Amino acid sequence: MFIRLLCLSSLHYTGKAGNISDSNAAVTRGITILLQEPYLLKRTVFDNVAYGLKVRKQHEGVRSRVFEALELVGLPPAIFSKRLWFELSGGEAQRVALASRLVLNPRVLILDETTASVDHESAFLMKEAIRKFRHEYGTSLIVASHDRVWLNSVTDSVLKIRNGRLDSFEVENILIGPWTHGDKGLYTRVLSDGQSIACLAPPDKNATGFLKNSDIMIAAEYSSRLSAQNILEGTIVQMTADGPDSGILVDTAIAELSLSSRLTQRRAEALQLIPGKKVWLVFKASSIRWR
């Protein structure tokens, strides 16, 4: 799980559980959240999107603001504004839920896997709407998602969470056993295509190993001069910019695995890396760590 952040405005709490100082009530009203599953009122699309404005007693320009929000998420108001909640597909319902948040022009928008359960078209339109809204209004985003490509296009910094706790700031590869005793004191895991991964002695045969993406070197050609214990052939499936100055993340498919490696943009250009290209991933057996 990755959480991406964008300059979250600071909040001041009184220190009492469940109590927020009156002076900061306006700040809390500027924060809204959109979850993975949409929850709509049993009303028309227009009434769903306008509800937050009415609760906040903002009665001016409601129609134009609602229509603008619907347009932003790819739902033509002339077609959708009068539809009832049960006349929408899952993707349309989630876009209505997003429009109901955007219409409030929040200072902070929290998104929890909001595009994970919608169709491809809806996911694309929602991502574009959020990106445009952030650019135009400067809204801060907190995004919990597994979609690194989108996250890297709309956010500035990253926190990684594993098992409910903050983990390292580097995306790590997870390698699960079984491991069997091999040659030269090493242990191996055999992949479905016959290639194998070598490691130092694991704590047990089904142990989980962790491999930093910065410990993996990419070679565009196989060479006998490559001396590491692991030289795995695979195909690049995805390349993403990992933040403004962090280089390029390259995801490579190797049999049933997908391994992520990081390299500089200059190095990626020198190797002429593109999705679909065959490459070799090179790393030491000692780079696989145990916890």
Side-chain angles (χ1 to χ4, degrees):
M1 169 69 72
F2 305 94
I3 294 183
R4 288 283 185 167
L5 307 176
L6 267 179
C7 307
L8 177 60
S9 303
S10 61
L11 304 180
H12 173 69
Y13 293 92
T14 62
K16 296 180 181 180
N19 189 17
I20 301 174
S21 61
D22 292 339
S23 62
N24 287 282
V27 174
T28 61
R29 285 196 297 270
I31 302 173
T32 188
I33 184 170
L34 180 62
L35 302 175
Q36 183 174 345
E37 297 295 330
Y39 294 95
L40 300 182
L41 301 172
K42 294 181 178 180
R43 305 179 184 180
T44 66
V45 167
F46 183 95
D47 289 336
N48 268 279
V49 179
Y51 180 76
L53 296 174
K54 294 179 179 178
V55 168
R56 288 163 172 76
K57 301 187 185 304
Q58 299 178 18
H59 302 298
E60 294 185 7
V62 171
R63 185 176 184 275
S64 61
R65 292 176 66 177
V66 169
F67 277 30
E68 182 181 355
L70 289 174
E71 289 280 8
L72 190 60
V73 299
L75 296 174
I79 299 174
F80 284 93
S81 62
K82 295 182 180 180
R83 285 192 183 178
L84 294 171
W85 79 98
F86 60 82
E87 297 177 310
L88 303 172
S89 68
E92 291 168 350
Q94 185 70 317
R95 282 189 272 165
V96 170
L98 175 59
S100 70
R101 274 68 171 178
L102 298 182
V103 76
L104 301 175
N105 191 13
R107 293 177 60 186
V108 180
L109 178 60
I110 304 173
L111 303 165
D112 182 10
E113 296 284 7
T114 52
T115 62
S117 59
V118 300
D119 60 274
H120 179 75
E121 180 183 5
S122 291
F124 173 78
L125 290 170
M126 291 176 67
K127 292 171 184 178
E128 283 297 292
I130 293 166
R131 183 184 61 81
K132 292 177 182 178
F133 192 83
R134 175 217 167 180
H135 177 75
E136 183 170 348
Y137 295 100
T139 297
S140 295
L141 302 178
I142 301 177
V143 186
S145 178
H146 292 80
D147 188 344
R148 279 210 312 266
V149 177
W150 178 51
L151 290 175
N152 289 331
S153 72
V154 296
T155 56
D156 299 327
S157 58
V158 62
L159 296 175
K160 184 181 177 185
I161 292 178
R162 179 182 288 123
N163 296 328
R165 296 185 178 183
L166 286 177
D167 204 343
S168 66
F169 286 80
E170 182 172 10
V171 179
E172 289 185 303
N173 298 287
I174 300 175
L175 303 172
I176 302 174
W179 306 95
T180 58
H181 197 281
D183 298 330
K184 300 179 181 179
L186 298 177
Y187 287 73
T188 61
R189 175 192 164 182
V190 179
L191 303 179
S192 61
D193 64 354
Q195 298 188 89
S196 61
I197 298 175
C199 66
L200 301 184
D204 60 76
K205 69 174 185 178
N206 293 313
T208 298
F210 297 87
L211 176 64
K212 291 183 178 180
N213 52 41
S214 56
D215 286 336
I216 301 176
M217 185 186 80
I218 297 181
E221 298 179 354
Y222 180 83
S223 170
S224 58
R225 292 179 295 178
L226 298 173
S227 59
Q229 294 92 341
N230 292 293
I231 305 173
L232 303 176
E233 181 181 341
T235 302
I236 296 175
V237 294
Q238 179 174 273
M239 298 175 63
T240 58
D242 188 32
D245 304 306
S246 301
I248 305 295
L249 276 179
V250 180
D251 293 326
T252 303
I254 302 172
E256 65 272 25
L257 293 181
S258 177
L259 296 182
S260 173
S261 50
R262 177 185 280 115
L263 66 166
T264 65
Q265 182 173 344
R266 178 177 295 180
R267 180 61 178 166
E269 292 173 351
L271 293 173
Q272 298 182 333
L273 300 184
I274 58 172
K277 182 170 184 172
K278 183 168 68 174
V279 294
W280 283 261
L281 300 189
V282 183
F283 56 94
K284 299 178 181 179
S286 58
S287 296
I288 300 176
R289 297 168 293 105
W290 315 101
R291 294 182 184 175

